[in-house]
Amino acid sequence: MTVVIGFEGSANKIGVGIIRDGEVLSNPRRTYITPPGQGFLPGETAKHHRGVILTVLQEALDEAGLKPADVDCVAYTKGPGMGAPLVTVAIVARTVAQLWGKPLLGVNHCIGHIEMGRLITNAHNPTVLYVSGGNTQVIAYSERRYRIFGETIDIAVGNCLDRFARVIKISNDPSPGYNIEQMAKKGTKYIELPYTVKGMDVSFSGILSYIEETLFAMLVEITERAMAHCGSQEVMIVGGVGCNLRLQEMMAVMCKERGARIFATDERFCIDNGAMIAQAGWEMFRSGHVTELSDSWITQRYRTDEVEVTWRD
């Protein structure tokens, strides 16, 4: 049985998760929350992560009932993400790997979301809508790569929602997107907004003054196009914005019309967490991947389709 511990801290969440052969043994997490009207800066976010990461690590081990000797591999988020928080997590992961005498493994954050979604939902070969604060992509697996069929050409959907929340001073606790969703549920009037789909890509910067329903309609449209291209009958939504129940409802309507199935997870696994890095690390480690200490750098730009997916097929 293979046990992998994963460290995630690419944005304002810091998490440590432990996976053993497809079982989530632990997944504690902390969130850096700023006052309404403010975003989170890289330096301050990294300072928050440094202050809690060892506590979260101990919680993960205690909750799993494991000791360092029981761990087979240490995985960490290599990128993409915010530079300072990524460095903080990478340093701790490197240190832990050396102290424990375990192999180290750098993981693509986006692939962590996908592999966590596949594990939790048991989706077979879905078209993936990956929506978060930093990324918006429609993805499908083909020939050892997660191929990007469409993406944002400016800002990510989560970043658009976050900026909107800052403008009208919506609370960041537990997250701006969640609070926008709760307020939208009370709405009764749909306001027509700019709808910018360009081929398989979307643009959100011009819609920032307006917001949620139209954003999601654009995402459903490009996802349906990718499904038609791939002949897919499954959709899986991952990433922090994937928790949004309205997005799930709108996607489910499209899937029902196509006779397709929708898969999604709750906030435990949609929002950035350590277990998703552990799960992707587990898949990679079992297929022979390791990261040498000299190569254990981080990068703020690391596309999903750069990674050779050797653990599928």
Side-chain angles (χ1 to χ4, degrees), residues 197-313:
V197 173
K198 301 183 178 182
M200 283 297 294
D201 296 329
V202 288
S203 173
F204 295 128
S205 57
I207 204 174
L208 182 55
S209 304
Y210 300 98
I211 231 55
E212 190 178 78
E213 192 86 357
T214 302
L215 294 179
F216 294 164
M218 292 158 61
L219 295 172
V220 171
E221 177 181 332
I222 62 171
T223 303
E224 184 174 17
R225 289 186 187 180
M227 292 175 70
H229 180 87
C230 299
S232 172
Q233 289 298 102
E234 296 179 334
V235 172
M236 183 173 72
I237 309 175
V238 300
V241 181
C243 296
N244 191 293
L245 296 180
R246 180 57 184 152
L247 174 58
Q248 293 180 20
E249 288 171 2
M250 292 171 71
M251 193 69 75
V253 170
M254 180 272 288
C255 286
K256 184 177 180 180
E257 291 174 351
R258 295 183 61 87
R261 299 178 66 194
I262 179 174
F263 298 89
T265 63
D266 59 29
E267 67 278 357
R268 293 173 300 165
F269 304 115
C270 256
I271 296 171
D272 291 352
N273 62 90
M276 74 184 207
I277 301 303
Q279 175 59 19
W282 184 89
E283 295 278 12
M284 295 172 70
F285 183 62
R286 298 262 295 187
S287 66
H289 290 255
V290 290
T291 301
E292 297 299 328
L293 193 62
S294 58
D295 293 326
S296 61
W297 35 270
I298 60 95
T299 175
Q300 292 179 265
R301 293 173 175 82
Y302 190 13
R303 286 178 64 82
T304 314
D305 52 9
E306 289 182 40
V307 179
E308 184 179 10
V309 182
T310 58
W311 55 94
R312 294 189 61 173
D313 291 342

Side-chain angles (χ1 to χ4, degrees), residues 1 13 34 99 130-131 135 219 231 302:
M1 300 179 78
K13 309 287 191 301
T34 55
L99 286 172
Y130 170 37
V131 278
N135 300 276
L219 295 172
Y302 190 13

Side-chain angles (χ1 to χ4, degrees), residues 1-16:
M1 300 179 78
T2 303
V3 177
V4 177
I5 189 168
F7 291 81
E8 156 59 25
S10 59
N12 68 328
K13 309 287 191 301
I14 178 74
V16 181

Side-chain angles (χ1 to χ4, degrees), residues 57-111:
L57 169 57
Q58 191 60 57
E59 286 179 6
L61 289 169
D62 291 346
E63 187 179 329
L66 299 179
K67 298 178 180 178
D70 301 317
V71 175
D72 296 299
C73 178
V74 176
Y76 73 97
T77 301
K78 185 174 183 176
M82 300 170 68
L86 283 170
V87 168
T88 296
V89 173
I91 289 173
V92 173
R94 289 184 202 128
T95 303
V96 165
Q98 291 179 85
L99 286 172
W100 295 357
K102 307 295 180 181
L104 187 65
L105 187 51
V107 171
N108 179 290
H109 176 87
C110 314
I111 287 180

Side-chain angles (χ1 to χ4, degrees), residues 47 49 56 76 115 135 139 179 184 190 192 194 251 255 274 306 310:
K47 182 178 179 181
H49 291 0
V56 178
Y76 73 97
E115 295 304 337
N135 300 276
I139 301 163
N179 292 325
Y190 172 67
E192 206 164 311
M251 193 69 75
C255 286
E306 289 182 40
T310 58

Side-chain angles (χ1 to χ4, degrees), residues 12 30-36 38-40 48 171-175:
N12 68 328
R30 297 286 191 282
T31 302
Y32 175 52
I33 297 174
T34 55
Q38 298 182 25
F40 47 92
H48 166 267
S171 172
N172 292 321
D173 187 10
S175 72

